[in-house]
């Protein structure tokens, strides 16, 4: 009905958001707030847009074609989107709709000046702001001009930038409609943008005001630099007054023009401190009303602030929920586990259920609250020492918070919440039998879990899982297990410190740990070389694997069975199948991002390994695994003999050599075990996952779920409730899917405060060449080669001598390490998995290099200085 085509702003409430668009809905809510001045106006609804679109059938065909294009096909997007815009702009507005719009203009002032602004249904959402993606037109005068600019707003739904933005955010073009807001113009003395949280640091207590003279269009479009005011706790704490050369003003007959400012006004502030504080106070009320930080466009006229837009700030990293108003400091779990991607809800819930310490979820990631440890002098010192040895950037970020004396007050040790973190466990003997016993104990416990969990289903499974988790934590928390892990790490630190002090040699332990025995993760890479040896003699098998790599593998049912069955049909396929099955029996529970139980495991997708197997066939000769291991062992032995001989030549040399020998034996006994607890965890995770997917299959069969993987968007408790009740809230699952999509676009910080401030730390070094990228040295040596920037392990195509550059590497990446010459990552520490394996393989490595995958070009020649911790660009 025609009555639905035009609504006054004050008529729009939450129930009508779908037809008013994001901007219209938000302005409608603002217009009903007491003491918030919103320019009067009306909204031309999405019903009107769809009515006009229906008059141009050719648009449907073009939308179908547009939906098939990738976000990177810019030429085709540009052509198609221009055709759609032109069609919309040339389509006549139906008489009855034009009459309704004209009637609304008469009510608000037919000859008044208006702002005509787009309001898409996928705009100003909590998960995607679409800021600047559609068009706004200012100072539009007269019904004919208003109607023309409404059509232009409709057409702007298909600007190239809007189309690409939707494609990258997974939003269907057909699912989006356009409403248009028409408001009386405000002719301001000053205008700008208020962020109720600092958009750079994320600090929720600090608001940022950007201000300039004239219309806000000058700031939004980047014509002038704004004055910037930082307001915290009711006062301006920082300001930057720009030299404003120009301003945008309204013209008497309509439209706008950029004009030069009087030189005497150029360096005058656009707002007084009192006005900035008053604006932020208004913004805080709006923020409270919407329930989240806001990006607010404002105008100042006659000393009154008018609000012309408010939308959520979607780029802020969320803050963990807490049950008090105290300050908190959180450290990222993902940066320690080498998996900074967003996790689905079941992945978060499972890790929280099995972790040794409480973990808090935010933005699809997990964090540990270290506030109480930092509040104790002993706890603070121990924590900073421990994280400083592993990842200096985390320590620097924590110290930045601690430099603000009022954020984490220092309390006596007795008042700070228990024993300090990071205290060294009691020493154990340097005895390889200890490692063997721990491994056997883990295997027996995992085997018992496999036997028991197979017999559980329905509610009985969820009654059993807490018992399984208790055993999970018992094995990991066994004091002997912790002692063995710490023994290898402490011996590494001792050797590096003492050999640098005595011999002036940096990172000497890196060579001494080459081919250390018992490292399950490095052995995983070598074992895949043996798989390549088993396949290499059979051309039909190799050709089949190449076809899988190039074209994928179409299948029905189990990919594992279908792939191996097809493989076995080739000459030599039986031997190839046996080799791959043997490998998957031992390592099939692993995958990229393996701490997230929802990620597909190698056993579920064995074709993931095909590119690495083919690289190994192409790049190595038979027997490479044994030769590489033995070569590393001999290099470590030679290094040991060299170090001990040099020590004996020093004053008090026999004592120093004896101490060093004891620590070399200790590091080679225990450092390989550093990787085993993670193997234990993912082995259990695969068993949990298989059991949960069996329950998901029953829910699908009962019509409760549409897809088995829908359970990935439920917590463990919610899944338990669903199994017991045979009911699931489909809206909750969809909301979780939307949340996950938005979280994937966020970059998690190393340290996060309860104020929302994101800190990533800095190295604060001045001893590297100009232009070099600074990082943490984790594996000694220097190497020069071609950089291969790899964001997804499935896309890795590596040649001998290549240097792998990526965001982070967890154990699933170790099979690639056998074929590269060096490693550079954005995330990592001295004892994280990538660093340990790089040392085992003797690869020069630098980790923690900020934005390495953006600052280093794929194919660029670089030199990695693994001893000194920096990367040089050579071409």
């Amino acid at each position: 009905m025609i009555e639905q085509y035009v609504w006054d702003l004050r008529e729009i409430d939450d129930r009508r958001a779908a037809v008013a668009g994001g901007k219209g809905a938000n302005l409608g809510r603002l217009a009903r707030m007491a003491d918030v001045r919103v320019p009067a106006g009306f909204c031309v609804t999405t019903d009107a847009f769809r009515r006009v679109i229906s008059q141009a059938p050719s648009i449907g065909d073009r939308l179908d074609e547009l939906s098939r294009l990738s976000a990177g096909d810019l030429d085709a997007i540009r052509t198609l989107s221009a055709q759609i815009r032109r069609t919309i702009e040339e389509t006549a507005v139906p008489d009855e709709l034009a009459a309704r719009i004209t009637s609304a203009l008469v009510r608000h002032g037919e000859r008044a000046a208006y702002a005509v602004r787009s309001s898409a249904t996928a705009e100003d959402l909590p998960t995607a702001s679409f800021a600047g993606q559609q068009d706004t037109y200012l100072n539009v005068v007269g019904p004919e001009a208003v109607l023309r600019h409404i059509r232009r707003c409709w057409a702007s739904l298909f600007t190239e930038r809007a189309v690409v933005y939707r494609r990258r955010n997974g939003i269907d073009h057909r699912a989006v409609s356009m409403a248009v807001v028409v408001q009386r113009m405000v002719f301001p003395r000053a205008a700008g943008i208020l962020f109720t949280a600092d958009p750079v640091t994320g600090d929720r207590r600090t608001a940022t005001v950007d201000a300039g003279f004239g219309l806000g269009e000058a700031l939004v479009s980047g014509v002038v630099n704004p004055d910037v005011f930082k307001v915290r706790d009711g006062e301006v704490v920082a300001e930057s007054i720009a030299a404003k050369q120009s301003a945008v003003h309204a013209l008497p007959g309509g439209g706008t023009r950029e004009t030069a400012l009087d030189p005497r006004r150029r360096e005058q502030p656009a707002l007084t401190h009192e006005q900035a504080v008053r604006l932020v106070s208004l913004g805080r009320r709006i923020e409270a009303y919407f329930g989240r930080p806001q990006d607010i466009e404002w105008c100042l006229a006659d000393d009154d602030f008018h609000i012309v837009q408010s939308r959520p700030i979607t780029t802020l990293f969320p803050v963990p929920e807490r049950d008090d108003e105290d300050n908190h400091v959180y450290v990222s779990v993902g940066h320690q586990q080498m998996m900074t991607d967003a996790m689905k809800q079941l992945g978060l819930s499972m890790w929280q259920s099995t972790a040794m310490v409480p973990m808090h979820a935010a933005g699809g990631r997990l964090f540990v609250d270290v506030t109480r440890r930092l509040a104790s002098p002993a706890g603070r010192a121990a924590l900073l020492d421990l994280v400083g040895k592993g990842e200096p950037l985390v320590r620097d970020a924590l110290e930045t918070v601690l430099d603000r004396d009022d954020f984490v007050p220092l309390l006596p040790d007795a008042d700070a919440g228990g024993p300090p973190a990071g205290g060294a466990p009691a020493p154990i003997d340097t005895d390889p039998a200890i490692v063997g016993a721990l491994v056997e104990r883990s295997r027996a416990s995992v085997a018992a879990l496999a036997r028991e969990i197979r017999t559980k289903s329905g509610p009985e499974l969820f009654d059993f899982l807490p018992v399984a988790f208790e055993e999970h934590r018992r094995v990991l928390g066994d004091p002997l297990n912790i002692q063995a892990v710490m023994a290898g790490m402490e011996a590494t630190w001792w050797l590096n410190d003492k050999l640098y002090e005595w011999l002036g040699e940096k990172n000497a332990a890196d060579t001494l740990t080459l081919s250390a025995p018992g490292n399950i993760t490095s052995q995983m890479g070598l074992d895949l070389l043996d798989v390549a040896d088993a396949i290499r003699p059979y051309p039909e098998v190799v050709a089949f694997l190449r076809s899988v790599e190039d074209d994928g593998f179409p299948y029905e049912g189990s990919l594992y069975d279908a792939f191996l069955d097809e493989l076995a049909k080739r000459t030599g396929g039986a031997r190839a199948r046996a080799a791959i099955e043997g490998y998957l029996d031992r390592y099939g529970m692993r995958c990229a991002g393996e701490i997230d139980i929802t990620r597909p495991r190698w056993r579920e997708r064995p074709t993931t390994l095909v590119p690495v197997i083919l690289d190994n066939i192409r790049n190595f000769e038979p027997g490479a695994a044994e030769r590489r291991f033995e070569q590393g062992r001999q290099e470590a032995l030679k290094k040991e003999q060299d170090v001990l001989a040099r020590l004996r030549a020093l004053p008090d040399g026999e004592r120093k050599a004896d101490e060093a020998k004891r620590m070399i034996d200790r590091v080679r006994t225990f450092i390989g075990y550093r990787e085993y607890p993670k193997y234990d965890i993912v082995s259990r995770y695969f068993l949990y996952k298989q059991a949960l997917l069996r329950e998901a299959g029953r829910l699908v069969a009962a019509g409760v779920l549409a897809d088995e993987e829908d359970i990935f968007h439920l917590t463990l408790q919610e899944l338990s409730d669903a199994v017991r009740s045979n009911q699931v809230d489909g809206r909750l699952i969809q909301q979780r899917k939307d949340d996950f999509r938005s979280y994937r676009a966020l970059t998690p910080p190393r340290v996060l405060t309860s104020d929302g401030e994101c800190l990533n730390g800095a190295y604060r070094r001045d001893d590297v060449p100009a232009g070099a990228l600074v990082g943490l040295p984790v594996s000694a040596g220097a190497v020069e080669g071609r950089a291969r920037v790899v964001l997804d392990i499935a896309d890795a195509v590596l040649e001998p001598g290549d240097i792998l550059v990526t965001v982070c590497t967890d154990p699933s990446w170790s099979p690639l390490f056998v074929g590269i010459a060096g490693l550079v990552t954005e995330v990592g520490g001295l004892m994280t998995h990538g660093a340990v394996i790089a040392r085992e393989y003797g690869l020069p490595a630098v980790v923690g290099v900020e934005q390495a995958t953006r600052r280093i070009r794929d194919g660029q020649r670089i030199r990695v200085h693994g001893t000194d911790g920096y990367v040089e660009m050579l071409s």
Side-chain angles (χ1 to χ4, degrees), residues 186-199:
V186 176
F187 300 100
R189 187 187 74 81
I193 302 168
L194 161 63
F195 297 96
T196 62
D198 190 312

Side-chain angles (χ1 to χ4, degrees), residues 532-578:
D533 286 353
I535 292 172
R536 187 182 289 105
Y538 303 107
E540 277 191 44
V541 173
V542 174
F544 169 69
L545 294 181
R546 284 176 180 155
S547 71
V548 170
E549 181 184 36
D550 293 339
D551 304 324
F553 184 70
Y555 67 95
E556 294 181 4
S558 167
L559 175 59
Y560 176 81
D561 293 330
F563 169 70
L564 292 178
D565 288 346
E566 195 64 29
L567 177 71
K569 296 176 183 178
R570 275 67 184 175
T571 301
R575 185 181 177 203
R577 175 174 183 155

Side-chain angles (χ1 to χ4, degrees), residues 644-716:
L644 296 179
R646 289 158 62 197
L647 287 174
R648 290 190 182 100
L650 299 175
D652 198 19
E654 287 298 329
R655 178 189 63 81
K656 292 174 179 175
D658 287 346
E659 289 184 15
K661 173 59 176 170
R662 284 196 296 273
M663 283 300 175
I664 291 170
D665 290 345
R666 193 165 180 80
V667 79
R668 291 195 65 80
T669 297
F670 291 112
I671 198 62
Y673 184 71
R674 163 73 179 79
E675 293 292 300
Y676 203 88
K678 184 71 169 290
Y679 180 78
D680 178 283
I681 291 171
V682 296
S683 296
R684 295 174 190 275
Y685 265 35
F686 189 46
L687 295 173
Y688 302 148
K689 181 179 185 180
Q690 289 175 310
L692 294 175
L693 283 175
R694 287 194 291 270
E695 295 305 311
R698 284 187 270 273
L699 290 173
V700 170
V704 177
L705 290 177
D707 185 272
E708 288 184 8
E709 293 191 358
D710 282 349
I711 68 166
F712 295 163
H713 298 283
L714 299 173
T715 66
L716 195 59

Side-chain angles (χ1 to χ4, degrees), residues 386-562:
L386 183 65
V387 300
K389 287 176 178 176
E391 192 177 0
L393 290 176
V394 174
R395 174 171 184 152
D396 184 81
L398 289 173
E399 288 177 332
T400 300
V401 176
L402 295 174
D403 285 344
R404 302 164 192 155
D405 295 334
D406 60 338
F407 197 83
V408 181
L410 201 59
L411 304 174
D413 285 331
D415 298 331
I428 55 176
D429 293 337
T430 303
D431 182 358
I434 293 174
V435 172
L438 285 169
V439 169
E440 186 51 43
R441 187 183 308 175
S442 166
R443 288 175 177 167
S445 178
V446 171
L449 172 64
R451 287 192 303 271
E452 291 184 64
I453 205 167
R454 287 194 199 102
T455 68
K456 312 297 182 185
S457 64
E460 187 184 11
L461 170 65
F462 291 92
D463 292 337
F464 168 74
L465 284 176
V467 179
F469 296 163
E470 185 176 349
E471 169 67 3
H472 181 132
R473 288 189 293 268
R474 186 194 69 77
V475 171
L476 291 176
D478 183 338
L480 188 62
N481 180 58
I482 297 172
Q483 288 171 319
V485 170
M486 291 303 299
M489 295 167 64
E490 289 168 347
T492 300
W493 296 333
W494 189 96
L495 285 167
N496 281 336
D497 290 345
K498 288 298 184 180
L499 295 182
Y500 182 69
E501 176 188 342
W502 292 338
L503 298 175
E505 185 170 344
K506 294 181 180 179
N507 302 325
D510 294 357
T511 306
L512 294 167
T513 55
L514 286 171
S515 297
N519 189 316
I520 191 72
T521 306
S522 62
Q523 189 61 46
M524 182 169 64
L526 297 175
D527 285 351
L528 202 59
L529 287 173
D530 290 338
V531 172
D533 286 353
I535 292 172
R536 187 182 289 105
Y538 303 107
E540 277 191 44
V541 173
V542 174
F544 169 69
L545 294 181
R546 284 176 180 155
S547 71
V548 170
E549 181 184 36
D550 293 339
D551 304 324
F553 184 70
Y555 67 95
E556 294 181 4
S558 167
L559 175 59
Y560 176 81
D561 293 330

Side-chain angles (χ1 to χ4, degrees), residues 596-613:
D596 182 354
I597 196 174
T598 72
R599 292 287 189 98
R601 309 285 137 171
W602 287 345
R603 181 170 282 276
E604 296 169 316
R605 290 189 186 171
T607 54
T608 303
L609 294 171
V610 167
V612 189
I613 293 172

Side-chain angles (χ1 to χ4, degrees), residues 562-849:
F563 169 70
L564 292 178
D565 288 346
E566 195 64 29
L567 177 71
K569 296 176 183 178
R570 275 67 184 175
T571 301
R575 185 181 177 203
R577 175 174 183 155
I580 292 176
E581 282 189 304
Y583 188 84
L584 292 174
D585 285 344
R586 191 172 189 195
Y587 305 113
M589 76 294 290
R590 312 215 81 151
C591 67
E594 62 192 8
I595 69 169
D596 182 354
I597 196 174
T598 72
R599 292 287 189 98
R601 309 285 137 171
W602 287 345
R603 181 170 282 276
E604 296 169 316
R605 290 189 186 171
T607 54
T608 303
L609 294 171
V610 167
V612 189
I613 293 172
L614 290 173
D615 280 350
N616 287 347
I617 291 171
R618 182 176 66 251
N619 296 332
F620 295 94
E621 297 295 325
E626 184 177 351
R627 286 195 303 275
R628 283 181 66 95
F629 187 83
E630 181 58 24
Q631 180 184 350
R633 195 182 71 81
Q634 291 297 331
E635 286 183 35
L637 179 60
K638 182 180 178 182
K639 183 68 173 180
E640 175 184 334
Q641 293 168 344
D642 172 66
V643 163
L644 296 179
R646 289 158 62 197
L647 287 174
R648 290 190 182 100
L650 299 175
D652 198 19
E654 287 298 329
R655 178 189 63 81
K656 292 174 179 175
D658 287 346
E659 289 184 15
K661 173 59 176 170
R662 284 196 296 273
M663 283 300 175
I664 291 170
D665 290 345
R666 193 165 180 80
V667 79
R668 291 195 65 80
T669 297
F670 291 112
I671 198 62
Y673 184 71
R674 163 73 179 79
E675 293 292 300
Y676 203 88
K678 184 71 169 290
Y679 180 78
D680 178 283
I681 291 171
V682 296
S683 296
R684 295 174 190 275
Y685 265 35
F686 189 46
L687 295 173
Y688 302 148
K689 181 179 185 180
Q690 289 175 310
L692 294 175
L693 283 175
R694 287 194 291 270
E695 295 305 311
R698 284 187 270 273
L699 290 173
V700 170
V704 177
L705 290 177
D707 185 272
E708 288 184 8
E709 293 191 358
D710 282 349
I711 68 166
F712 295 163
H713 298 283
L714 299 173
T715 66
L716 195 59
Q717 183 59 54
E718 289 165 349
L719 178 54
S720 173
D721 294 342
V723 168
R724 296 175 194 276
S725 67
N726 237 28
Q727 293 180 338
V728 171
D729 184 350
R731 291 171 300 178
L732 176 63
I733 290 176
Q734 186 56 53
Q735 180 61 53
R736 294 275 174 74
K737 290 179 179 180
D738 293 341
D739 290 344
F740 177 69
R741 186 175 64 240
S742 68
Y743 294 154
R744 289 175 66 185
L746 300 176
T747 300
R750 287 178 171 84
V751 172
L752 177 67
T753 72
S754 50
D755 284 349
E757 187 173 7
C758 297
L759 301 105
N760 282 293
Y763 290 106
R764 309 185 192 283
R765 291 174 56 184
D766 56 6
D767 59 342
V768 299
L773 307 183
V774 181
L776 177 66
V778 296
S779 186
V783 65
E784 180 180 319
R786 178 181 65 165
R788 297 315 308 256
V789 179
V790 179
L791 301 181
D792 186 331
I793 191 172
D795 299 328
V797 179
L798 300 165
E799 300 288 345
D802 283 349
I803 297 170
L804 175 63
V805 180
T806 190
V807 176
C808 56
T809 61
D810 64 7
S812 71
W813 289 69
S814 64
L816 296 182
F817 284 24
V818 298
I820 60 175
L823 175 68
V824 179
T825 69
E826 295 181 354
V827 176
L830 188 63
M831 285 297 169
T832 50
H833 302 281
V836 172
I837 305 307
R839 289 194 292 273
E840 289 258 345
Y841 287 165
L843 304 175
V846 180
V847 302
V849 180

Side-chain angles (χ1 to χ4, degrees), residues 22-23 26 120-131 133-134 165-166 168-171 292 311-315 738-739 741-743 745-746:
K23 188 182 283 96
N26 289 350
T121 53
E123 183 176 56
D124 297 350
L125 301 177
T127 58
S129 76
F130 276 76
Q133 299 305 313
Q134 283 88 40
Y165 190 93
R166 285 195 296 273
R168 288 176 176 164
N169 282 272
I171 297 172
R292 59 186 299 150
R311 58 181 168 232
I313 307 175
T314 60
T315 57
D738 293 341
D739 290 344
R741 186 175 64 240
S742 68
Y743 294 154
L746 300 176

